[in-house]
Amino acid sequence: MTYSEHTYYIILKRRSRGYEILCNIGSESSVTTVLRLNGKNTDRIFKGIISALAKQGAAIPSRVSDYEQVYSIREDLGPVVGAYLILVRRARNIEKWSRFFRALLDGHYIGVAKAFSAFLELAIELSRSMPMKGSGKAYTLSPIVVDALSTALKHFVDKITRSMKTR
């Protein structure tokens, strides 16, 4: 899959039980929901992402209503946002990861954005080989793969940011 052929969207939906973030990759012919994230900090995570992307001129509102906010994301940052959503899945310290994300977009961690793109691509490739349980909704990323990579990404970011601070 080459990402240059796709457009990335991040969507916040208000549901009866709270909020849900959807990360979509689409082209003119089809759109695929790659990842779904929900929980008590979902709206905070979404606002943090949009705020950080807006500073870079990388998020454009496509549709905003009382129940749904849809933003298209600049092509080079779409995979970074997708990997960031994997990172913050089940995260306890949302502010820590939000600070890291803002610093990443500001260029403080050279090379890490490219690694994030590789993590998203890895998640997609690994998910293709995983059996998907019938949950009614199809997502590209397997929950098992996302959980494993979320933990790996947290350790990766911790190690990289520590080593870059000591230079």
Side-chain angles (χ1 to χ4, degrees):
M1 171 185 295
T2 56
Y3 290 115
S4 60
E5 300 170 3
H6 295 88
T7 302
Y8 294 83
Y9 299 94
I10 185 169
I11 302 165
L12 180 69
K13 290 187 175 197
R14 190 165 69 179
R15 302 285 189 195
S16 59
R17 296 184 186 177
Y19 289 96
E20 173 181 68
I21 295 175
L22 301 173
C23 179
N24 291 353
I25 300 175
S27 63
E28 290 181 24
S29 58
S30 67
V31 174
T32 302
T33 299
V34 177
L35 179 67
R36 178 180 63 97
L37 186 70
N38 56 25
K40 66 178 181 178
N41 291 312
T42 305
D43 58 331
R44 246 178 68 203
I45 292 168
F46 182 83
K47 288 174 186 173
I49 291 170
I50 296 304
S51 172
L53 289 171
K55 284 184 181 177
Q56 305 295 324
I60 300 168
S62 296
R63 186 173 55 244
V64 177
S65 72
D66 290 341
Y67 301 101
E68 181 179 73
Q69 296 178 42
V70 180
Y71 286 82
S72 62
I73 302 169
R74 202 170 72 202
E75 293 292 321
D76 59 327
L77 294 177
V80 175
V81 171
Y84 176 72
L85 288 170
I86 293 172
L87 172 78
V88 297
R89 180 181 169 101
R90 300 178 198 232
R92 290 188 180 109
N93 189 348
I94 299 301
E95 188 52 41
K96 171 187 176 181
W97 302 117
S98 182
R99 283 191 306 271
F100 161 75
F101 185 66
R102 289 189 305 267
L104 176 65
L105 293 182
D106 287 341
H108 293 285
Y109 300 112
I110 305 300
V112 175
K114 189 157 185 96
F116 264 44
S117 295
F119 265 100
L120 182 61
E121 200 167 317
L122 175 66
I124 291 169
E125 288 302 315
L126 286 172
S127 293
R128 286 185 181 150
S129 65
M130 296 295 295
M132 296 295 268
K133 295 180 180 173
S135 64
K137 291 185 179 180
Y139 300 101
T140 301
L141 298 183
S142 159
I144 295 166
V145 170
V146 172
D147 282 345
L149 284 179
S150 180
T151 301
L153 266 170
K154 287 175 181 77
H155 289 294
F156 171 77
V157 168
D158 281 338
K159 292 276 186 188
I160 291 295
T161 54
R162 263 191 255 134
S163 72
M164 289 182 148
K165 286 180 184 176
T166 59
R167 288 186 190 175

